Amino acid sequence: MATEFRVGQLVALLLRYWWMLALGIGLGFGLAAIGLHYATPTYTATATQLVKGIPGRTTGANYIAAQYAVARARSYPALIFSTPVLEGVRHDLGAEFTDTRLRADLSASNPTDTPLINITAVGATPEQAKKLADAAAKHLAAFISSIETIDGASPVIVSTAVDAELPTSPSAPKPTLYYGMGAAVGLAIGLLGALAWNAVGSRVAARRAGSQPSQD
């Protein structure tokens, strides 16, 4: 019964001070809008490379080559931060693309059980993100070919499957996330305000009741 009474009190409090909750949520939305206005937008672009195994002349050679390509592709994303790749990107795009910046703005992944390598880049503009993804993909493919080549021959070929597309909208900040957090923070502010307002009102009422002269 005590729990039900407390829940009932809270509901009554929310209904009584609904305006304070609405004010808090409005404040949260306002803060979210300000944050979005001043946040620096970033864009994301992804280029995809395809690893193809070169089949031999044995039975089932094509199948073996395909499986070999899938197995080798698992290890290639880690090479995105190798020195030849980073230096190649810097040569193409400019000295401002330091190793530290490239390590923060680039990533690579291999979708499970596929011979694909996704190279993802973030940039301050759509053009910058696309150029960075394409440059990194190009130099990663060249580096893979160089380390896999033995006596002038390589068991795999890495080629571009999909060039990075020009992003049409920022990947960050996300308005829904900002406004969701703003609403949550605003609701908490409104609830705390309602509780504080109710507590102050109760104390004032109690003091007034205590100061009134008793009637015999």
Coordinates of all heavy atoms in Angstrom, one line a residue, residues 54 68 144-157:
I54 N 43.7 -16.0 -57.3 CA 44.1 -16.5 -58.6 C 44.1 -18.0 -58.6 O 44.9 -18.6 -57.9 CB 45.5 -15.9 -59.1 CG1 45.4 -14.4 -59.1 CG2 45.9 -16.5 -60.4 CD1 46.7 -13.7 -59.4
Y68 N 40.5 -19.0 -50.5 CA 41.8 -18.4 -50.1 C 41.6 -16.9 -50.0 O 42.1 -16.2 -49.1 CB 42.8 -18.7 -51.1 CG 44.2 -18.1 -50.8 CD1 45.0 -18.7 -49.8 CD2 44.7 -17.0 -51.4 CE1 46.3 -18.2 -49.5 CE2 45.9 -16.5 -51.1 CZ 46.7 -17.1 -50.2 OH 47.9 -16.5 -49.9
I144 N 48.9 -4.2 -50.4 CA 48.6 -5.6 -50.3 C 49.3 -6.3 -51.5 O 49.9 -7.4 -51.3 CB 47.1 -5.8 -50.3 CG1 46.5 -5.3 -49.0 CG2 46.8 -7.3 -50.5 CD1 44.9 -5.3 -49.0
S145 N 49.2 -5.8 -52.6 CA 49.8 -6.4 -53.8 C 51.3 -6.5 -53.6 O 51.9 -7.5 -54.0 CB 49.5 -5.6 -55.1 OG 48.1 -5.6 -55.3
S146 N 51.9 -5.5 -53.0 CA 53.4 -5.5 -52.9 C 53.8 -6.6 -51.9 O 54.9 -7.2 -52.1 CB 53.9 -4.1 -52.5 OG 53.5 -3.8 -51.1
I147 N 53.1 -6.7 -50.8 CA 53.6 -7.7 -49.8 C 53.2 -9.1 -50.2 O 53.8 -10.1 -49.7 CB 53.0 -7.4 -48.4 CG1 51.5 -7.4 -48.4 CG2 53.5 -6.0 -47.9 CD1 50.9 -7.2 -47.0
E148 N 52.2 -9.3 -51.0 CA 51.8 -10.6 -51.4 C 52.6 -11.1 -52.6 O 52.5 -12.3 -52.9 CB 50.3 -10.6 -51.8 CG 49.3 -10.5 -50.6 CD 49.2 -11.7 -49.8 OE1 50.0 -12.6 -49.9 OE2 48.2 -11.8 -48.9
T149 N 53.2 -10.3 -53.3 CA 54.0 -10.7 -54.5 C 55.3 -11.3 -54.2 O 56.1 -10.8 -53.4 CB 54.2 -9.4 -55.4 OG1 53.0 -8.9 -55.8 CG2 55.0 -9.8 -56.7
I150 N 55.5 -12.5 -54.7 CA 56.7 -13.3 -54.5 C 57.2 -13.7 -55.8 O 56.5 -14.4 -56.6 CB 56.5 -14.5 -53.5 CG1 56.0 -14.0 -52.2 CG2 57.8 -15.3 -53.4 CD1 55.6 -15.1 -51.2
D151 N 58.4 -13.4 -56.1 CA 59.0 -13.8 -57.4 C 58.2 -13.3 -58.6 O 58.0 -14.0 -59.6 CB 59.2 -15.3 -57.5 CG 60.2 -15.8 -56.5 OD1 61.1 -15.0 -56.1 OD2 60.1 -17.0 -56.0
G152 N 57.7 -12.1 -58.4 CA 56.9 -11.5 -59.5 C 55.5 -12.0 -59.7 O 54.8 -11.6 -60.6
A153 N 55.0 -12.8 -58.8 CA 53.6 -13.3 -58.8 C 52.9 -13.2 -57.5 O 53.6 -13.3 -56.4 CB 53.6 -14.8 -59.3
S154 N 51.6 -12.9 -57.6 CA 50.8 -12.8 -56.4 C 49.6 -13.8 -56.4 O 49.0 -13.9 -57.5 CB 50.3 -11.4 -56.2 OG 49.4 -11.3 -55.1
P155 N 49.3 -14.4 -55.3 CA 48.1 -15.3 -55.3 C 46.8 -14.6 -55.3 O 45.7 -15.3 -55.4 CB 48.3 -16.1 -54.0 CG 49.0 -15.2 -53.1 CD 49.9 -14.4 -54.0
V156 N 46.8 -13.3 -55.1 CA 45.5 -12.5 -55.0 C 45.7 -11.2 -55.9 O 46.8 -10.7 -56.1 CB 45.2 -12.1 -53.6 CG1 44.9 -13.4 -52.7 CG2 46.2 -11.3 -52.9
I157 N 44.5 -10.7 -56.2 CA 44.4 -9.4 -56.9 C 43.4 -8.6 -56.1 O 42.3 -9.1 -55.8 CB 43.9 -9.6 -58.3 CG1 44.9 -10.3 -59.2 CG2 43.7 -8.2 -59.0 CD1 44.4 -10.6 -60.6

